[in-house]
Amino acid sequence: MADYKFNYDNKGCRKVFKTYRHQEKIIKKTIEKQLTRQMENDFSKVKLATRIEVNHQKCYECRVNPPQLPPIRVAFTRVDEKINICYLTTNIVKADFTHELEHFLGGK
């Protein structure tokens, strides 16, 4: 079992963490648990989020379901054991999520 290091992009995660500021620790814990499970199962439920590269890395996405909160879509990159969460949203419709993410990446 690998020891992953998670980093959260302040600009891309701010909106969700501000909306659910009292549940930020729960959200992070759920995301980290879900992504660790996905890494160990060879990305079984992970898809490519966009064709736009983030810091020369492919950007992936998956859905995370924190307890007693709305589902969250997570966009992230991976370099070895380092996971960079670049974008979070409660908009779980894939097409809308991709549009939001590409708009965010273009305006970064």
Side-chain angles (χ1 to χ4, degrees):
M1 185 171 171
D3 186 26
Y4 297 103
K5 304 291 183 212
F6 290 88
N7 178 50
Y8 293 83
D9 181 275
N10 188 41
K11 187 176 177 184
C13 300
R14 181 183 323 142
K15 183 177 177 183
V16 170
F17 288 151
K18 185 177 179 183
T19 302
Y20 301 104
R21 66 182 160 270
H22 298 296
Q23 292 90 0
E24 183 175 339
K25 287 182 182 179
I26 292 168
I27 293 169
K28 285 183 176 181
K29 182 179 176 183
T30 306
I31 290 170
E32 292 170 14
K33 184 177 176 183
Q34 175 76 20
L35 290 182
T36 298
R37 188 177 318 125
Q38 292 302 321
M39 302 302 161
E40 292 169 354
N41 293 313
D42 292 327
F43 288 146
S44 62
K45 293 187 178 184
V46 172
K47 301 171 189 157
L48 200 58
T50 179
R51 292 184 178 163
I52 298 172
E53 289 189 345
V54 178
N55 299 325
H56 308 292
Q57 301 296 320
K58 289 184 179 181
C59 185
Y60 299 98
E61 63 90 9
C62 77
R63 179 176 161 166
V64 176
N65 299 309
Q68 284 125 24
L69 292 171
I72 295 172
R73 253 196 216 272
V74 180
F76 66 96
T77 59
R78 176 186 178 190
V79 179
D80 299 322
E81 309 302 312
K82 296 177 184 175
I83 312 297
N84 183 44
I85 311 298
C86 47
Y87 192 72
L88 297 176
T89 184
T90 54
N91 188 350
I92 61 166
V93 176
K94 175 71 167 114
D96 295 342
F97 166 76
T98 300
H99 179 75
E100 256 185 54
L101 176 63
E102 289 177 349
H103 180 75
F104 169 74
L105 293 174
K108 204 170 181 185

